mmCIF file of all heavy atoms in Angstrom:
data_model
loop_
_atom_site.group_PDB
_atom_site.id
_atom_site.type_symbol
_atom_site.label_atom_id
_atom_site.label_comp_id
_atom_site.label_asym_id
_atom_site.label_seq_id
_atom_site.Cartn_x
_atom_site.Cartn_y
_atom_site.Cartn_z
ATOM 1 N N LEU A 110 100.888 -102.422 -10.372
ATOM 2 C CA LEU A 110 100.637 -103.804 -10.346
ATOM 3 C C LEU A 110 101.459 -104.492 -9.294
ATOM 4 O O LEU A 110 102.452 -105.101 -9.599
ATOM 5 C CB LEU A 110 100.840 -104.431 -11.702
ATOM 6 C CG LEU A 110 100.368 -105.839 -11.955
ATOM 7 C CD1 LEU A 110 98.771 -105.815 -11.848
ATOM 8 C CD2 LEU A 110 100.801 -106.351 -13.317
ATOM 9 N N GLU A 111 101.070 -104.372 -8.024
ATOM 10 C CA GLU A 111 101.761 -104.952 -6.909
ATOM 11 C C GLU A 111 100.803 -105.780 -6.100
ATOM 12 O O GLU A 111 99.574 -105.510 -5.967
ATOM 13 C CB GLU A 111 102.399 -103.798 -6.029
ATOM 14 C CG GLU A 111 103.482 -103.018 -6.729
ATOM 15 C CD GLU A 111 104.148 -102.037 -5.788
ATOM 16 O OE1 GLU A 111 103.584 -101.872 -4.629
ATOM 17 O OE2 GLU A 111 105.092 -101.380 -6.159
ATOM 18 N N VAL A 112 101.347 -106.713 -5.359
ATOM 19 C CA VAL A 112 100.632 -107.459 -4.373
ATOM 20 C C VAL A 112 100.242 -106.581 -3.207
ATOM 21 O O VAL A 112 100.856 -105.511 -3.036
ATOM 22 C CB VAL A 112 101.287 -108.745 -3.960
ATOM 23 C CG1 VAL A 112 101.404 -109.661 -5.080
ATOM 24 C CG2 VAL A 112 102.666 -108.354 -3.311
ATOM 25 N N THR A 113 99.317 -107.041 -2.364
ATOM 26 C CA THR A 113 98.849 -106.225 -1.224
ATOM 27 C C THR A 113 99.957 -106.014 -0.188
ATOM 28 O O THR A 113 100.238 -104.908 0.310
ATOM 29 C CB THR A 113 97.685 -106.888 -0.553
ATOM 30 O OG1 THR A 113 96.620 -107.041 -1.476
ATOM 31 C CG2 THR A 113 97.154 -106.047 0.602
ATOM 32 N N ASN A 114 100.755 -107.062 0.067
ATOM 33 C CA ASN A 114 101.830 -107.010 1.027
ATOM 34 C C ASN A 114 103.064 -107.540 0.352
ATOM 35 O O ASN A 114 103.350 -108.711 0.270
ATOM 36 C CB ASN A 114 101.467 -107.875 2.230
ATOM 37 C CG ASN A 114 102.548 -107.708 3.372
ATOM 38 O OD1 ASN A 114 103.461 -107.009 3.269
ATOM 39 N ND2 ASN A 114 102.192 -108.321 4.498
ATOM 40 N N THR A 115 103.866 -106.576 -0.127
ATOM 41 C CA THR A 115 105.077 -106.922 -0.912
ATOM 42 C C THR A 115 106.100 -107.548 0.007
ATOM 43 O O THR A 115 107.047 -108.304 -0.527
ATOM 44 C CB THR A 115 105.616 -105.674 -1.639
ATOM 45 O OG1 THR A 115 105.834 -104.664 -0.686
ATOM 46 C CG2 THR A 115 104.634 -105.128 -2.728
ATOM 47 N N SER A 116 106.127 -107.253 1.261
ATOM 48 C CA SER A 116 107.169 -107.797 2.093
ATOM 49 C C SER A 116 106.854 -109.293 2.528
ATOM 50 O O SER A 116 107.758 -109.944 2.978
ATOM 51 C CB SER A 116 107.252 -106.933 3.409
ATOM 52 O OG SER A 116 106.060 -106.973 4.098
ATOM 53 N N ALA A 117 105.595 -109.731 2.348
ATOM 54 C CA ALA A 117 105.240 -111.066 2.691
ATOM 55 C C ALA A 117 105.259 -112.063 1.553
ATOM 56 O O ALA A 117 105.429 -113.274 1.800
ATOM 57 C CB ALA A 117 103.835 -110.995 3.443
ATOM 58 N N ARG A 118 104.942 -111.584 0.344
ATOM 59 C CA ARG A 118 104.755 -112.503 -0.777
ATOM 60 C C ARG A 118 104.946 -111.790 -2.096
ATOM 61 O O ARG A 118 104.973 -110.557 -2.193
ATOM 62 C CB ARG A 118 103.354 -113.147 -0.807
ATOM 63 C CG ARG A 118 102.267 -112.123 -0.666
ATOM 64 C CD ARG A 118 100.908 -112.710 -1.165
ATOM 65 N NE ARG A 118 100.967 -113.003 -2.593
ATOM 66 C CZ ARG A 118 99.908 -113.374 -3.302
ATOM 67 N NH1 ARG A 118 98.753 -113.426 -2.693
ATOM 68 N NH2 ARG A 118 99.971 -113.619 -4.587
ATOM 69 N N GLY A 119 105.052 -112.566 -3.165
ATOM 70 C CA GLY A 119 105.100 -112.053 -4.510
ATOM 71 C C GLY A 119 103.929 -112.560 -5.302
ATOM 72 O O GLY A 119 103.037 -113.221 -4.718
ATOM 73 N N TRP A 120 104.035 -112.439 -6.627
ATOM 74 C CA TRP A 120 102.898 -112.865 -7.477
ATOM 75 C C TRP A 120 102.976 -114.376 -7.720
ATOM 76 O O TRP A 120 101.968 -114.993 -7.887
ATOM 77 C CB TRP A 120 102.938 -112.186 -8.865
ATOM 78 C CG TRP A 120 102.422 -110.788 -8.793
ATOM 79 C CD1 TRP A 120 103.124 -109.648 -9.018
ATOM 80 C CD2 TRP A 120 101.058 -110.429 -8.672
ATOM 81 N NE1 TRP A 120 102.348 -108.589 -8.914
ATOM 82 C CE2 TRP A 120 101.004 -108.942 -8.695
ATOM 83 C CE3 TRP A 120 99.934 -111.107 -8.401
ATOM 84 C CZ2 TRP A 120 99.856 -108.244 -8.605
ATOM 85 C CZ3 TRP A 120 98.686 -110.414 -8.337
ATOM 86 C CH2 TRP A 120 98.718 -108.984 -8.432
ATOM 87 N N PHE A 121 104.174 -115.018 -7.583
ATOM 88 C CA PHE A 121 104.293 -116.471 -7.836
ATOM 89 C C PHE A 121 104.654 -117.072 -6.510
ATOM 90 O O PHE A 121 105.607 -116.693 -5.794
ATOM 91 C CB PHE A 121 105.375 -116.740 -8.854
ATOM 92 C CG PHE A 121 105.014 -116.170 -10.210
ATOM 93 C CD1 PHE A 121 105.475 -114.976 -10.674
ATOM 94 C CD2 PHE A 121 104.214 -116.860 -11.124
ATOM 95 C CE1 PHE A 121 105.151 -114.430 -11.894
ATOM 96 C CE2 PHE A 121 103.788 -116.369 -12.334
ATOM 97 C CZ PHE A 121 104.343 -115.131 -12.806
ATOM 98 N N ILE A 122 103.916 -118.133 -6.087
ATOM 99 C CA ILE A 122 104.146 -118.830 -4.814
ATOM 100 C C ILE A 122 104.707 -120.253 -5.120
ATOM 101 O O ILE A 122 104.208 -120.953 -6.055
ATOM 102 C CB ILE A 122 102.792 -118.948 -4.055
ATOM 103 C CG1 ILE A 122 102.128 -117.520 -3.936
ATOM 104 C CG2 ILE A 122 102.973 -119.581 -2.724
ATOM 105 C CD1 ILE A 122 102.985 -116.534 -3.195
ATOM 106 N N ASN A 123 105.740 -120.609 -4.388
ATOM 107 C CA ASN A 123 106.250 -121.927 -4.445
ATOM 108 C C ASN A 123 105.271 -122.985 -3.868
ATOM 109 O O ASN A 123 105.022 -122.876 -2.638
ATOM 110 C CB ASN A 123 107.613 -121.960 -3.704
ATOM 111 C CG ASN A 123 108.291 -123.339 -3.887
ATOM 112 O OD1 ASN A 123 107.773 -124.253 -4.625
ATOM 113 N ND2 ASN A 123 109.447 -123.451 -3.241
ATOM 114 N N PRO A 124 104.792 -123.913 -4.600
ATOM 115 C CA PRO A 124 103.842 -124.951 -4.085
ATOM 116 C C PRO A 124 104.390 -125.763 -2.931
ATOM 117 O O PRO A 124 103.623 -126.268 -2.095
ATOM 118 C CB PRO A 124 103.491 -125.737 -5.292
ATOM 119 C CG PRO A 124 103.823 -124.939 -6.408
ATOM 120 C CD PRO A 124 104.968 -124.095 -6.102
ATOM 121 N N MET A 125 105.702 -125.908 -2.865
ATOM 122 C CA MET A 125 106.310 -126.729 -1.812
ATOM 123 C C MET A 125 106.503 -125.905 -0.554
ATOM 124 O O MET A 125 106.918 -126.559 0.474
ATOM 125 C CB MET A 125 107.630 -127.282 -2.316
ATOM 126 C CG MET A 125 107.552 -128.017 -3.615
ATOM 127 S SD MET A 125 106.312 -129.366 -3.652
ATOM 128 C CE MET A 125 106.979 -130.366 -2.302
ATOM 129 N N GLY A 126 106.223 -124.615 -0.513
ATOM 130 C CA GLY A 126 106.435 -123.822 0.705
ATOM 131 C C GLY A 126 107.214 -122.631 0.411
ATOM 132 O O GLY A 126 108.134 -122.594 -0.376
ATOM 133 N N LYS A 127 106.711 -121.473 0.939
ATOM 134 C CA LYS A 127 107.312 -120.160 0.668
ATOM 135 C C LYS A 127 108.502 -120.046 1.630
ATOM 136 O O LYS A 127 109.634 -119.799 1.219
ATOM 137 C CB LYS A 127 106.305 -119.093 0.860
ATOM 138 C CG LYS A 127 106.782 -117.741 0.521
ATOM 139 C CD LYS A 127 105.650 -116.661 0.546
ATOM 140 C CE LYS A 127 105.250 -116.435 1.963
ATOM 141 N NZ LYS A 127 106.222 -115.768 2.770
ATOM 142 N N ASP A 128 108.247 -120.021 2.919
ATOM 143 C CA ASP A 128 109.303 -119.918 3.908
ATOM 144 C C ASP A 128 109.663 -121.198 4.660
ATOM 145 O O ASP A 128 110.829 -121.395 5.039
ATOM 146 C CB ASP A 128 108.934 -118.815 4.938
ATOM 147 C CG ASP A 128 108.676 -117.430 4.388
ATOM 148 O OD1 ASP A 128 109.521 -117.138 3.426
ATOM 149 O OD2 ASP A 128 107.788 -116.721 4.860
ATOM 150 N N ASN A 129 108.624 -122.016 4.759
ATOM 151 C CA ASN A 129 108.759 -123.348 5.405
ATOM 152 C C ASN A 129 108.307 -124.418 4.482
ATOM 153 O O ASN A 129 107.458 -124.165 3.569
ATOM 154 C CB ASN A 129 108.084 -123.408 6.737
ATOM 155 C CG ASN A 129 108.586 -122.327 7.680
ATOM 156 O OD1 ASN A 129 109.760 -122.155 7.869
ATOM 157 N ND2 ASN A 129 107.646 -121.542 8.362
ATOM 158 N N THR A 130 108.694 -125.643 4.742
ATOM 159 C CA THR A 130 108.167 -126.747 3.842
ATOM 160 C C THR A 130 106.673 -127.012 4.246
ATOM 161 O O THR A 130 106.319 -127.202 5.388
ATOM 162 C CB THR A 130 108.975 -128.078 4.153
ATOM 163 O OG1 THR A 130 110.413 -127.790 3.952
ATOM 164 C CG2 THR A 130 108.530 -129.223 3.305
ATOM 165 N N PHE A 131 105.846 -127.021 3.172
ATOM 166 C CA PHE A 131 104.480 -127.261 3.406
ATOM 167 C C PHE A 131 104.184 -128.804 3.601
ATOM 168 O O PHE A 131 104.774 -129.625 2.969
ATOM 169 C CB PHE A 131 103.686 -126.817 2.145
ATOM 170 C CG PHE A 131 102.206 -126.622 2.394
ATOM 171 C CD1 PHE A 131 101.710 -125.694 3.171
ATOM 172 C CD2 PHE A 131 101.300 -127.572 1.877
ATOM 173 C CE1 PHE A 131 100.320 -125.542 3.348
ATOM 174 C CE2 PHE A 131 99.975 -127.488 1.982
ATOM 175 C CZ PHE A 131 99.513 -126.424 2.818
ATOM 176 N N PRO A 132 103.346 -129.149 4.640
ATOM 177 C CA PRO A 132 103.214 -130.536 4.877
ATOM 178 C C PRO A 132 102.571 -131.359 3.781
ATOM 179 O O PRO A 132 101.701 -130.843 3.050
ATOM 180 C CB PRO A 132 102.150 -130.507 6.060
ATOM 181 C CG PRO A 132 102.310 -129.138 6.682
ATOM 182 C CD PRO A 132 102.622 -128.217 5.595
ATOM 183 N N ILE A 133 103.195 -132.516 3.459
ATOM 184 C CA ILE A 133 102.789 -133.350 2.387
ATOM 185 C C ILE A 133 101.285 -133.793 2.557
ATOM 186 O O ILE A 133 100.501 -133.772 1.622
ATOM 187 C CB ILE A 133 103.712 -134.528 2.202
ATOM 188 C CG1 ILE A 133 105.120 -134.039 1.879
ATOM 189 C CG2 ILE A 133 103.183 -135.511 1.082
ATOM 190 C CD1 ILE A 133 106.095 -135.189 1.659
ATOM 191 N N TRP A 134 100.934 -134.080 3.807
ATOM 192 C CA TRP A 134 99.588 -134.572 3.974
ATOM 193 C C TRP A 134 98.597 -133.456 3.715
ATOM 194 O O TRP A 134 97.426 -133.772 3.240
ATOM 195 C CB TRP A 134 99.329 -135.090 5.401
ATOM 196 C CG TRP A 134 99.486 -134.010 6.470
ATOM 197 C CD1 TRP A 134 100.604 -133.640 7.106
ATOM 198 C CD2 TRP A 134 98.410 -133.213 6.958
ATOM 199 N NE1 TRP A 134 100.356 -132.602 8.040
ATOM 200 C CE2 TRP A 134 98.978 -132.326 7.879
ATOM 201 C CE3 TRP A 134 97.063 -133.075 6.668
ATOM 202 C CZ2 TRP A 134 98.219 -131.409 8.634
ATOM 203 C CZ3 TRP A 134 96.307 -132.131 7.381
ATOM 204 C CH2 TRP A 134 96.849 -131.259 8.299
ATOM 205 N N MET A 135 98.951 -132.219 3.918
ATOM 206 C CA MET A 135 98.037 -131.071 3.662
ATOM 207 C C MET A 135 97.928 -130.851 2.187
ATOM 208 O O MET A 135 96.836 -130.388 1.748
ATOM 209 C CB MET A 135 98.493 -129.826 4.358
ATOM 210 C CG MET A 135 97.509 -128.723 4.360
ATOM 211 S SD MET A 135 95.916 -129.197 5.105
ATOM 212 C CE MET A 135 94.904 -127.851 4.633
ATOM 213 N N MET A 136 98.876 -131.246 1.382
ATOM 214 C CA MET A 136 98.762 -131.127 -0.062
ATOM 215 C C MET A 136 97.641 -131.991 -0.633
ATOM 216 O O MET A 136 96.897 -131.519 -1.525
ATOM 217 C CB MET A 136 100.072 -131.570 -0.718
ATOM 218 C CG MET A 136 101.364 -130.695 -0.407
ATOM 219 S SD MET A 136 102.805 -131.263 -1.171
ATOM 220 C CE MET A 136 103.996 -130.193 -0.474
ATOM 221 N N PHE A 137 97.489 -133.189 -0.057
ATOM 222 C CA PHE A 137 96.353 -134.015 -0.396
ATOM 223 C C PHE A 137 95.084 -133.705 0.285
ATOM 224 O O PHE A 137 93.953 -133.829 -0.237
ATOM 225 C CB PHE A 137 96.772 -135.508 -0.160
ATOM 226 C CG PHE A 137 97.922 -135.980 -1.022
ATOM 227 C CD1 PHE A 137 99.180 -135.940 -0.485
ATOM 228 C CD2 PHE A 137 97.652 -136.389 -2.353
ATOM 229 C CE1 PHE A 137 100.308 -136.405 -1.273
ATOM 230 C CE2 PHE A 137 98.761 -136.849 -3.041
ATOM 231 C CZ PHE A 137 100.067 -136.881 -2.623
ATOM 232 N N ALA A 138 95.185 -133.220 1.626
ATOM 233 C CA ALA A 138 93.999 -132.889 2.323
ATOM 234 C C ALA A 138 93.351 -131.620 1.788
ATOM 235 O O ALA A 138 92.182 -131.395 2.075
ATOM 236 C CB ALA A 138 94.388 -132.777 3.817
ATOM 237 N N SER A 139 94.048 -130.856 1.027
ATOM 238 C CA SER A 139 93.462 -129.642 0.431
ATOM 239 C C SER A 139 92.356 -129.898 -0.462
ATOM 240 O O SER A 139 91.544 -128.967 -0.803
ATOM 241 C CB SER A 139 94.549 -128.868 -0.286
ATOM 242 O OG SER A 139 95.550 -128.355 0.602
ATOM 243 N N VAL A 140 92.145 -131.128 -0.851
ATOM 244 C CA VAL A 140 91.037 -131.497 -1.729
ATOM 245 C C VAL A 140 89.679 -131.305 -1.009
ATOM 246 O O VAL A 140 88.680 -130.973 -1.649
ATOM 247 C CB VAL A 140 91.064 -132.921 -2.242
ATOM 248 C CG1 VAL A 140 90.981 -133.980 -1.038
ATOM 249 C CG2 VAL A 140 90.137 -133.283 -3.302
ATOM 250 N N VAL A 141 89.653 -131.322 0.333
ATOM 251 C CA VAL A 141 88.435 -131.134 1.087
ATOM 252 C C VAL A 141 88.000 -129.665 0.964
ATOM 253 O O VAL A 141 86.862 -129.444 0.553
ATOM 254 C CB VAL A 141 88.629 -131.599 2.556
ATOM 255 C CG1 VAL A 141 87.363 -131.292 3.290
ATOM 256 C CG2 VAL A 141 88.958 -133.097 2.586
ATOM 257 N N PRO A 142 88.839 -128.666 1.364
ATOM 258 C CA PRO A 142 88.391 -127.340 1.168
ATOM 259 C C PRO A 142 88.174 -126.974 -0.332
ATOM 260 O O PRO A 142 87.314 -126.151 -0.606
ATOM 261 C CB PRO A 142 89.561 -126.475 1.811
ATOM 262 C CG PRO A 142 90.708 -127.401 1.830
ATOM 263 C CD PRO A 142 90.149 -128.744 2.007
ATOM 264 N N ALA A 143 88.977 -127.553 -1.142
ATOM 265 C CA ALA A 143 88.766 -127.234 -2.666
ATOM 266 C C ALA A 143 87.359 -127.800 -3.079
ATOM 267 O O ALA A 143 86.707 -127.127 -3.892
ATOM 268 C CB ALA A 143 89.802 -127.950 -3.474
ATOM 269 N N PHE A 144 86.938 -128.915 -2.553
ATOM 270 C CA PHE A 144 85.521 -129.372 -2.867
ATOM 271 C C PHE A 144 84.464 -128.396 -2.357
ATOM 272 O O PHE A 144 83.463 -128.202 -3.016
ATOM 273 C CB PHE A 144 85.359 -130.762 -2.290
ATOM 274 C CG PHE A 144 84.058 -131.384 -2.597
ATOM 275 C CD1 PHE A 144 83.722 -131.839 -3.879
ATOM 276 C CD2 PHE A 144 83.060 -131.566 -1.612
ATOM 277 C CE1 PHE A 144 82.458 -132.360 -4.205
ATOM 278 C CE2 PHE A 144 81.840 -132.038 -1.911
ATOM 279 C CZ PHE A 144 81.490 -132.492 -3.174
ATOM 280 N N LEU A 145 84.746 -127.852 -1.137
ATOM 281 C CA LEU A 145 83.780 -126.873 -0.681
ATOM 282 C C LEU A 145 83.718 -125.609 -1.476
ATOM 283 O O LEU A 145 82.643 -125.062 -1.748
ATOM 284 C CB LEU A 145 84.139 -126.485 0.811
ATOM 285 C CG LEU A 145 84.146 -127.685 1.835
ATOM 286 C CD1 LEU A 145 84.604 -127.209 3.218
ATOM 287 C CD2 LEU A 145 82.752 -128.250 1.915
ATOM 288 N N VAL A 146 84.964 -125.207 -1.899
ATOM 289 C CA VAL A 146 84.958 -123.970 -2.781
ATOM 290 C C VAL A 146 84.253 -124.244 -4.206
ATOM 291 O O VAL A 146 83.462 -123.448 -4.712
ATOM 292 C CB VAL A 146 86.370 -123.508 -3.071
ATOM 293 C CG1 VAL A 146 86.442 -122.414 -4.103
ATOM 294 C CG2 VAL A 146 87.050 -123.061 -1.843
ATOM 295 N N PHE A 147 84.428 -125.530 -4.588
ATOM 296 C CA PHE A 147 83.777 -125.934 -5.873
ATOM 297 C C PHE A 147 82.247 -125.826 -5.733
ATOM 298 O O PHE A 147 81.560 -125.370 -6.639
ATOM 299 C CB PHE A 147 84.243 -127.310 -6.297
ATOM 300 C CG PHE A 147 83.383 -127.808 -7.423
ATOM 301 C CD1 PHE A 147 83.595 -127.464 -8.758
ATOM 302 C CD2 PHE A 147 82.383 -128.795 -7.182
ATOM 303 C CE1 PHE A 147 82.856 -127.942 -9.819
ATOM 304 C CE2 PHE A 147 81.682 -129.375 -8.280
ATOM 305 C CZ PHE A 147 81.889 -128.812 -9.513
#
């Protein structure tokens, strides 16, 4: 039970950013691709 790339990520991801701070505007802009997936 391992992820595909153990050196790049784990099972749990920090929503604020894994290695770098994730842009705040993209947190809200993600609703657009989420709507497409829906």
Side-chain angles (χ1 to χ4, degrees):
L110 194 63
E111 295 181 353
V112 295
T113 303
N114 190 354
T115 55
S116 61
R118 53 158 294 186
W120 282 110
F121 298 96
I122 306 299
N123 184 3
M125 305 309 295
K127 188 173 67 70
D128 298 323
N129 303 309
T130 303
F131 196 70
I133 297 179
W134 67 269
M135 190 59 191
M136 297 178 184
F137 295 95
S139 296
V140 66
V141 177
F144 182 71
L145 298 178
V146 174
F147 169 76

